[in-house]
């Protein structure tokens, strides 16, 4: 059992390291002001852009509240923040790269379309209701 586990681990390790590296680069080097510029209030495309930006990021539960507060204070619409949070919670670049070692491309594409659709829908619903 140990040999099988180790073999699987070695097979997925490069994907995991690549995902962690890319995710940390995106998370560390994309300025918040850039996100707010393209996903601010009164822009019809703000929610879809926020959802797309959120998917490659991995935002931990402990970081959601301070990040959301900072984005709202800089002018990002609440629906856009919701789409960003749902997108980042639903899928992350690390997760997609790791899943790539297990599933076919069509399955991963379907997964991303569902996460993106849910994030966009929730963002628009949040905007309409609140």
């Amino acid at each position: 059992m140990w040999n099988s586990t180790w073999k699987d681990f070695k097979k997925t390790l490069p994907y995991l390291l690549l995902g962690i590296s890319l995710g940390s680069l995106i998370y560390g080097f994309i300025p918040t002001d850039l996100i707010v510029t393209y996903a601010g209030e009164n822009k019809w495309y703000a929610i879809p852009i926020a959802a797309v930006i959120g998917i490659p990021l991995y935002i931990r539960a402990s970081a959601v509240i301070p990040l959301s507060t900072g984005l709202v204070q800089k002018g990002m619409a609440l629906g856009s923040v919701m789409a960003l949070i749902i997108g980042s919670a639903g899928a992350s670049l690390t997760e997609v790269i790791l899943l790539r070692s297990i599933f076919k491309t069509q399955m991963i594409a379907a997964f991303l379309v569902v996460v993106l659709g849910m994030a966009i829908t929730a963002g628009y619903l949040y905007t309409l209701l609140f």
Side-chain angles (χ1 to χ4, degrees), residues 35-114:
I35 294 172
V36 172
T37 299
Y38 294 104
E41 293 189 38
N42 300 323
K43 294 184 173 97
W44 67 268
Y45 54 83
I47 291 172
I49 286 179
V52 169
I53 290 170
I55 286 180
L57 300 178
Y58 170 69
I59 302 174
R60 293 176 43 114
S62 59
V64 167
I65 293 173
L67 177 65
S68 300
T69 302
L71 291 171
V72 169
Q73 287 175 347
K74 289 188 176 191
M76 190 172 192
L78 291 175
S80 299
V81 172
M82 184 62 66
L84 180 80
I85 291 169
I86 291 173
S88 68
S92 68
L93 188 57
T94 306
E95 181 180 16
V96 170
I97 290 173
L98 188 59
L99 289 174
R100 178 68 183 108
S101 69
I102 301 169
F103 296 111
K104 293 182 180 180
T105 305
Q106 295 90 344
M107 182 67 82
I108 295 171
F111 170 70
L112 290 173
V113 166
V114 168

